[in-house]
Amino acid sequence: MKTDDLVALLAAGPVAAPRRAASRRLWLALAVGVPLSLAIMFVGYGPRRDLLAVLFWPMFWVKLLFPLAIAGAAFVMAQRLARPGVPVRRAWIGAALPVLAIWMLAVVVWIDAPQEARMPSLMGQTWRVCTASIALMALPVFAGAMAALRSLAPTRPALAGAAAGALAGGVGAAVYALHCPELTAPFIAVWYVSGIAVPVLVGALLGPRLLRW
């Protein structure tokens, strides 16, 4: 039997993964992983002291909602990739648009800023730890999402692993935003995107090894 015929048979037959099974297992991964990510932030880092005050600052919400938008699109991608023969459609655009938007905002801010303020807005005070911290806080969700996908039937394991990484990276960046003191678009565009990219790349590399069936 050809591979395409086998995929079509599995997608149409009684052994196909139920449509809601993927969503339920990914939600379970989030239910377990998000509290652990928050625990890492609260115990290892602590929330920023002026958190209540910055809730009224627009850039705080940009920093928080931009990775959550990526996580939401990645969730849709992952649950589709978990089932044989289900197209991703345009869900990947939903993950790419927040990145493009923050990059465009960063370019505008960079051009508009005085020369002496540009590098501080890009590097901030925490650029050395930002990427690694986001990856660390993404780890519980990443492990849960990979376990959920492993229990399902992804036929494109590299893409499925990358989607799990984007889901985890988006959550990890949003959790880290509760601690991070930086609020400039260039910083977020470079270091937050880099932090999200780490689990995406790791997922793409591990997917073919861990998600094969």
Side-chain angles (χ1 to χ4, degrees):
M1 181 179 292
K2 295 182 179 179
T3 302
D4 292 343
D5 295 335
L6 176 61
V7 170
L9 178 63
L10 290 174
V15 295
R19 181 173 184 177
R20 294 184 179 178
S23 295
R24 285 198 300 266
R25 294 178 194 182
L26 288 170
W27 277 119
L28 179 60
L30 288 173
V32 174
V34 171
L36 292 175
S37 297
L38 287 168
I40 292 173
M41 188 275 293
F42 276 102
V43 175
Y45 295 76
R48 54 183 298 164
R49 296 179 180 178
D50 60 346
L51 183 58
L52 292 179
V54 299
L55 292 178
F56 298 95
W57 298 359
M59 273 308 299
F60 172 79
W61 290 104
V62 171
K63 183 174 68 171
L64 184 66
L65 295 178
F66 137 73
L68 287 179
I70 295 175
F75 183 95
V76 175
M77 293 172 61
Q79 63 93 12
R80 289 178 179 174
L81 288 164
R83 292 174 285 139
V86 178
V88 178
R89 297 191 180 96
R90 298 179 181 177
W92 66 271
I93 299 178
L97 283 179
V99 177
L100 293 176
I102 197 66
W103 282 349
M104 291 175 62
L105 178 60
V107 169
V108 172
V109 171
W110 179 272
I111 294 173
D112 191 54
Q115 185 71 32
E116 63 275 10
R118 289 179 176 176
M119 287 307 296
S121 72
L122 174 62
M123 308 306 287
Q125 301 176 359
T126 61
W127 67 272
R128 291 182 179 86
V129 299
C130 181
T131 297
S133 297
I134 290 174
L136 174 62
M137 294 179 196
L139 185 58
V141 175
F142 179 75
M146 291 294 284
L149 290 173
R150 186 174 174 83
S151 70
L152 295 163
T155 55
R156 291 160 287 181
L159 289 177
L167 172 60
V171 172
V175 171
Y176 181 67
L178 301 177
H179 161 80
C180 177
E182 316 292 351
L183 286 173
T184 61
F187 183 95
I188 297 168
V190 172
W191 304 111
Y192 270 60
V193 172
S194 297
I196 295 171
V198 170
V200 172
L201 293 175
V202 172
L205 292 173
L206 293 182
R209 296 186 179 184
L210 300 181
L211 302 180
R212 288 186 303 175
W213 55 283

